[in-house]
Amino acid sequence: SPLSVDTANDTLTLGLEGVQVRAAAPNTAGGVFEDFYAQVNITGVLGRDGWTTGLALRLQSGERYYAAEVNANGAWRFVLVEDEALTVIRDWTQHPAIVAGQTAFQLGVLAMGDGFDVFYNGQFVGQARDDTLTGSGQIGLTMLTANAFASRVTLSADALLVTETVQVDGERVFPTHLVTGS
């Protein structure tokens, strides 16, 4: 695999090389989740000819997962990855909260059923809906190199937090959406 992984100093550092190469790095120690809120602190991302990175959600065997991605141009999108096939569920969308060229940020996703609310630095940037992968899966990080010769992306992250549903008297208690304030 062209993906390199380093976990020194309590920081995860991923590296990926190649022309428009995609990779997902699941948190194998974190279990599997169906409905959850996941948030990652990206401490730095660099890319020759640009970069794309994000959260891999409901990652299942055979490289099937959703990805909430942001890029160096200050846009976000939501895709379904099934082995080599890519289905765009929500195409690249600009949002004022996402600053082009910002290399340190927080990315979060509330996954509830077939709905996915995407947050960037604590601000809601949009929603996507798809019911292809409704079961449990792992959560991790995803990267995509640029469509250029000798492309490379390096990503550092220091925290991946996941909140999942709880049971009260046999019933799941989980919000259907998050409301953020100033």
Side-chain angles (χ1 to χ4, degrees):
S1 167
L3 182 69
S4 64
V5 179
D6 181 10
T7 57
N9 301 323
D10 293 327
T11 299
L12 174 66
T13 303
L14 302 174
L16 186 63
E17 294 184 31
V19 177
Q20 206 163 19
V21 175
R22 174 177 294 279
N27 179 4
T28 55
V32 295
F33 306 93
E34 184 174 347
D35 294 331
F36 56 86
Y37 177 76
Q39 178 178 289
V40 65
N41 292 332
I42 304 294
T43 57
V45 59
L46 299 170
R48 182 174 179 179
D49 301 313
W51 51 264
T52 300
T53 189
L55 281 167
L57 312 165
R58 294 188 182 151
L59 181 61
Q60 300 171 357
S61 62
E63 291 298 307
R64 298 182 70 215
Y65 60 92
Y66 289 114
E69 300 176 324
V70 293
N71 67 19
N73 298 327
W76 77 278
R77 74 174 176 178
F78 196 85
V79 297
L80 170 65
V81 179
E82 295 182 282
D83 297 314
E84 299 295 319
L86 181 76
T87 303
V88 176
I89 297 167
R90 174 97 186 240
D91 209 352
W92 290 114
T93 304
Q94 299 292 131
H95 189 280
I98 305 172
V99 179
Q102 188 172 21
T103 60
F105 52 90
Q106 191 177 73
L107 184 63
V109 176
L110 172 65
M112 187 68 179
D114 68 349
F116 302 88
D117 293 339
V118 180
F119 297 83
Y120 183 91
N121 284 341
Q123 296 184 53
F124 176 73
V125 295
Q127 184 180 65
R129 297 191 84 76
D130 187 75
D131 62 0
T132 304
L133 301 178
T134 56
S136 298
Q138 294 175 310
I139 297 171
L141 299 174
T142 183
M143 301 168 61
L144 175 66
T145 62
N147 189 10
F149 179 72
S151 292
R152 176 171 178 75
V153 175
T154 303
L155 166 76
S156 296
D158 69 358
L160 173 61
L161 306 172
V162 180
T163 301
E164 62 181 325
T165 60
V166 296
Q167 297 275 334
V168 175
D169 295 329
E171 296 292 322
R172 292 186 330 153
V173 177
F174 199 74
T176 56
H177 61 281
L178 296 180
V179 178
T180 59
S182 58

